Amino acid sequence: MCLAIPAKVINIVEHSAEVDLMGNSRQVNIDLVADILKPGDYVLVHAGFALERLDESTAQETLALLEEVAAKGEY
Amino acid sequence: MSIKGKAEELLAGIRQLSGEPFKIMEVCGSHTVAIAKSGIRELLPESVQLVSGPGCPVCVTDNSDIDRFLSLAQTPGVIVATFGDMLRVPGSKTSLQAVRAEGADVRVVYSTLDALEISRQNPDKEVVFLGVGFETTIPTVAVSVEIAEREHLSNYSILSMHKLVPPVLELLVTDPEVGLDGFINPGHVCSVLGTAPFEFIAGKYQKPSVVAGFEALDILEAIWMLLRQRQEKRAAVEIQYSRVVKPEGSPKAAEYISRYFEPVDAVWRGIGRVPQSGLRLKAQYRLFDAEMKFDLPKPKSVNTPGCLCGEILKGRRHPFNCRLFGKACTPLQPVGPCMVSSEGSCAAYYRYSQRRGMSAV
Ligand code: SF4
């Protein structure tokens, strides 16, 4: 129930952001994020909310890992 | 290096450090799922043991709380909004799914934002969100109260059955019957709280803990890091999941919890009352508190006969020790909550042991 995944911010309007969540466009609330977000930033998304901003390189690392696992199946 | 190569390297490292018995609790239900799915337990040396913990919010919700929200769902004029995991959890007599079939208005939502939308669209109904979850989810519930207040959504309220992870860990760290040597800390709870609330594991009890991510490789690396601490005769809270978890967490999200909620004693299924491990809305937000709005019954907590869920949540037993596992109790016909939630230990081991053709019992 605590799962959260990285998503890329596409657009921001007031309290919410449109994000790219594993290839799907979603609206998430951004009230919990301290940083000022801009398009291209990465956020950690849980239950419709961005919990925090992620560094781009670390977000990419997570996404690459998720993709690699998805592509190869589990060992 | 490929995933397989990295895994082999980590396993070799773990084998090298194994030696004396070492019992690790993976606190979080999502870790339990990842471990069951990848078969890590079978790959580890015999002396390194993994036991599941209380980190499945649905599983630790006490019977008495379930009976309370079931009575709420059966109240005329009330719409209950809930995460899907709660639907099939059995109370002492029935479940949300069953009362819904009898006409109760129960809506599954993905987010508290959806529950707010239901409130906006049904001004003549009372909408109650079932607040079940840990520190990852609680800030999202706090924001929903903020929005309801801002928009004067007086028909929105929450029933707070939230639980806090550090207080229950403090109880388990000292349980002589389990005898834990180290902890895999919940990654996304720590992404909100940071590591400070987990320092006591090392500081007060001299046991290592590692905040881990949710891929099999993350978990293997965390196990290796725990063993390395033992080897180096030190205890600390370390972060393996540094691509997401910062030592300070997400202070704004954590601050939302303390702004809207205050700690209270809470009953955890199978574990009992844990001091200051639950949350209720602060008095100034009572307009949004379902406890204040409705006259809810205070049923006794009852145990489900034959179900070992409580012992499993404390790390004392494994699902395979339950005589009902896979026989009287399956995900389609769950007897206890550990078989209902997809993150419950019983459900996780049922699903993946079936798939790998392991003997379930
Ligand atoms: S298998 Fe079913 S009855 Fe047994 S402990 Fe798990 S949930 Fe309870």
Side-chain angles (χ1 to χ4, degrees):
Chain A
M1 194 182 249
C2 290
L3 267 191
I5 40 177
K8 187 177 184 173
V9 175
I10 300 167
N11 213 339
I12 298 148
V13 183
E14 291 182 21
H15 296 277
S16 66
E18 180 190 353
V19 298
D20 175 348
L21 194 82
M22 308 286 281
N24 300 303
S25 159
R26 286 280 144 76
Q27 288 291 332
V28 298
N29 178 293
I30 54 172
D31 289 342
L32 296 171
V33 184
D35 310 80
I36 310 276
L37 294 173
K38 53 180 188 332
D41 281 345
Y42 282 85
V43 286
L44 186 69
V45 172
H46 168 71
F49 287 76
L51 289 182
E52 59 169 340
R53 189 172 72 86
L54 297 174
D55 286 339
E56 181 172 349
S57 60
T58 56
Q60 299 276 21
E61 196 185 320
T62 303
L63 288 170
L65 193 60
L66 289 175
E67 269 160 28
E68 197 179 343
V69 171
K72 294 199 180 151
E74 303 112 28
Y75 48 88
Chain B
M1 197 192 288
S2 69
I3 291 188
K4 200 160 188 268
K6 278 185 233 164
E8 274 160 9
E9 196 179 87
L10 285 166
L11 276 167
I14 289 170
R15 255 179 253 120
Q16 204 174 36
L17 293 175
S18 56
E20 287 293 296
F22 194 75
K23 203 190 248 186
I24 302 167
M25 173 175 276
E26 89 268 1
V27 176
C28 173
S30 308
H31 282 140
T32 300
V33 171
I35 289 165
K37 186 171 163 186
S38 57
I40 285 180
R41 277 163 58 104
E42 292 95 77
L43 299 174
L44 293 175
E46 230 170 85
S47 60
V48 180
Q49 203 191 334
L50 280 172
V51 297
S52 313
C56 157
V58 172
C59 307
V60 297
T61 304
D62 194 61
N63 260 307
S64 58
D65 281 328
I66 297 171
D67 287 347
R68 273 150 64 81
F69 68 63
L70 287 172
S71 96
L72 191 58
Q74 289 165 302
T75 309
V78 168
I79 302 175
V80 161
T82 177
F83 291 138
D85 264 17
M86 295 302 285
L87 265 194
R88 290 185 306 123
V89 183
S92 60
K93 293 191 192 71
T94 179
S95 68
L96 273 182
Q97 180 161 280
V99 301
R100 181 164 76 170
E102 288 159 11
D105 196 345
V106 179
R107 317 258 181 112
V108 171
V109 295
Y110 160 70
S111 162
T112 53
L113 301 172
D114 305 335
L116 288 169
E117 190 52 33
I118 296 170
S119 304
R120 290 186 198 104
Q121 304 205 337
N122 295 274
D124 54 335
K125 297 269 176 66
E126 281 292 332
V127 177
V128 185
F129 177 76
L130 301 183
V132 171
F134 298 127
E135 289 90 337
T136 323
T137 311
I138 300 165
T140 74
V141 182
V143 175
S144 79
V145 175
E146 182 179 56
I147 296 173
E149 194 173 40
R150 188 164 68 221
E151 295 183 15
H152 306 292
L153 280 175
S154 60
N155 66 332
Y156 178 76
S157 61
I158 64 156
L159 184 63
S160 176
M161 295 166 282
H162 300 114
K163 304 251 179 335
L164 304 173
V165 174
V168 76
L169 280 193
E170 176 128 35
L171 193 91
L172 294 173
V173 90
T174 52
D175 184 343
E177 206 175 306
V178 195
L180 294 168
D181 300 299
F183 291 84
I184 297 180
N185 293 341
H188 293 132
V189 165
C190 292
S191 75
V192 170
L193 293 183
T195 51
F198 295 86
E199 289 288 352
F200 72 91
I201 302 174
K204 198 162 161 193
Y205 300 104
Q206 287 79 50
K207 293 188 197 285
S209 72
V210 172
V211 184
F214 296 90
E215 298 308 320
L217 282 182
D218 293 324
I219 294 166
L220 286 176
E221 188 173 13
I223 295 170
W224 175 76
M225 288 168 74
L226 286 167
L227 290 167
R228 187 181 57 180
Q229 286 195 37
R230 172 176 75 171
Q231 170 89 358
E232 294 169 357
K233 297 197 171 41
R234 59 189 180 87
V237 47
E238 293 180 327
I239 302 177
Q240 178 276 333
Y241 196 28
S242 56
R243 58 187 194 274
V244 165
V245 177
K246 301 175 197 119
E248 72 278 15
S250 177
K252 190 172 176 196
E255 200 264 325
Y256 258 98
I257 301 179
S258 50
R259 189 173 345 144
Y260 284 88
F261 293 97
E262 60 195 5
V264 284
D265 293 355
V267 177
W268 296 56
R269 182 189 291 250
I271 295 176
R273 183 168 297 274
V274 183
Q276 304 292 291
S277 67
L279 289 175
R280 69 164 168 233
L281 271 177
K282 287 185 172 171
Q284 62 264 44
Y285 305 109
R286 70 168 74 82
L287 284 177
F288 304 100
D289 189 347
E291 301 263 7
M292 300 291 163
K293 268 193 174 175
F294 302 94
D295 189 19
L296 296 174
K298 294 215 176 339
K300 280 212 178 65
S301 45
V302 286
N303 285 327
T304 313
C307 173
L308 294 185
C309 213
E311 295 296 293
I312 292 169
L313 294 166
K314 283 183 281 199
R316 290 182 182 174
R317 307 297 286 276
H318 188 274
F320 296 165
N321 300 134
C322 177
R323 287 194 302 146
L324 305 182
F325 180 87
K327 296 186 180 125
C329 183
T330 64
L332 284 177
Q333 285 286 329
V335 172
C338 299
M339 191 57 98
V340 176
S341 168
S342 55
E343 293 191 341
S345 294
C346 298
Y349 281 97
Y350 183 81
R351 201 159 5 130
Y352 298 109
S353 62
Q354 293 291 83
R355 210 179 64 182
R356 282 203 301 276
M358 277 164 43
S359 103
V361 241

